[in-house]
Amino acid sequence: MNAADTAWILVATALVLFMTLPGLALFYGGLVRARNVLSVFMQCFGIACLMSVLWLAVGYSIAFGDGNAYWGGLGKAFLNGVTEDTMSGNIPEVLFFAFQMTFAIITPALIVGAYVERIGFAFVMTFSGLWMLICYAPVAHWIWGGGLLAGEEWSLFPNGVNDFAGGIVVHQTAGLAALIVAFFLGGRSDKSKPPHNPGMVMIGAAMLWVGWFGFNGGSELAANGSAAMAITVTHLSAATASLTWVLWERIRYGKSSLVGLVTGTIAGLASITPASGSVGPIEALIIGAVAGVMCQELCSIVKNTLKIDDTLDVFAVHGVGGMFGIIMLAVFGHAGWTEQLGGLAVVGVWTVVTTVAIVLVVKAIFPIRVSQEDEHTGLDLSSHGERAYDMSS
């Protein structure tokens, strides 16, 4: 065991959990109406709890067990055979389990942004659990667990897909799933209300930014110069995308907004994620600069051209950003075009097919959408019996 590496991944694990709780919850919560903020908190927190248990039960084994090209099997279900002395590389395997668990938490939690303000809580929990096990965990095995796309003995591509921290595994899968759920769900009955608390959005985005250092820097699984460079390029891409987003916003609409500034931050973070283990500072600036404009334009295309109410722009920011980062690795010569585009295609098809199937099955059991009356009342009160703000007290 390497004590320095172990100490760093302990910290990184906490940072990645911090991204979901409270970072993502606050970021999404501020973007919805006041009557729905607690429902967003509930969805993020509930998903974090459920994914933790499912990851222990079978998720980790499916993703990182000693199976075959397609899945890891069930040999490590409930951490079978893993003790505090079992090693994964030069860190304890139980720590690797915990670090990867935080990724399994945030990936389905990202999808929350697509369906806020109108979805049933039972559907959210059931869909998220099945999706993590059936869609996310096998993809993690294919790329990070020595499977179908990893460049090992049974890989589709000799050199494997270069996806350092989750452009495909996390962002593409979550983005496509978000688009599909939003399509089946239909749009909100009232889309005119602005974010109820832009300050909360900024606080959540700031937490995501800080947590992302664990997300990308921790993916090196070592305390070394490569981890330091991953953190540095992550920061530079986020900062640059924030600036280009608000500049483009100023050119198009005449004003730069706080919500736009911090959404650009997330676009830059998502885009640099798969490339953070390979690129340098100048390449990070280029990725961030393009992401701030490109992801903003995709927000408009999804809502106005495709007519899909992906409420908080999960596909445009996370999905497109992650896929863009994967492609830029080939552009900069850090990966092969065949591997990168092939990985996007294989995982894209898998994600669409599995997500559609899971949605159809779960909505046959639980209503996917709340009633018009409950939507008008707000999910905080109608689904959870609570209010975020009591103005009379």
Side-chain angles (χ1 to χ4, degrees), residues 57-77 133-143 145-149 154 350:
V58 292
Y60 176 71
S61 187
I62 292 171
F64 295 102
D66 301 321
N68 52 41
Y70 303 102
W71 76 317
L74 300 178
K76 292 187 177 182
L133 294 176
I134 296 171
C135 182
Y136 172 82
V139 172
H141 177 71
W142 296 349
I143 295 179
L148 193 64
L149 304 174
W154 42 45
W350 175 257

Side-chain angles (χ1 to χ4, degrees), residues 271-312:
S271 298
I272 196 64
T273 290
S276 57
S278 303
V279 302
I282 303 303
E283 293 164 318
L285 291 177
I286 295 170
I287 289 173
V290 175
V293 176
M294 178 186 63
C295 293
Q296 185 176 163
E297 286 299 304
L298 261 294
C299 292
S300 177
I301 289 171
V302 169
K303 285 185 165 65
N304 300 325
T305 304
L306 299 181
K307 306 294 183 185
I308 296 176
D309 187 15
D310 177 357
T311 312
L312 307 184

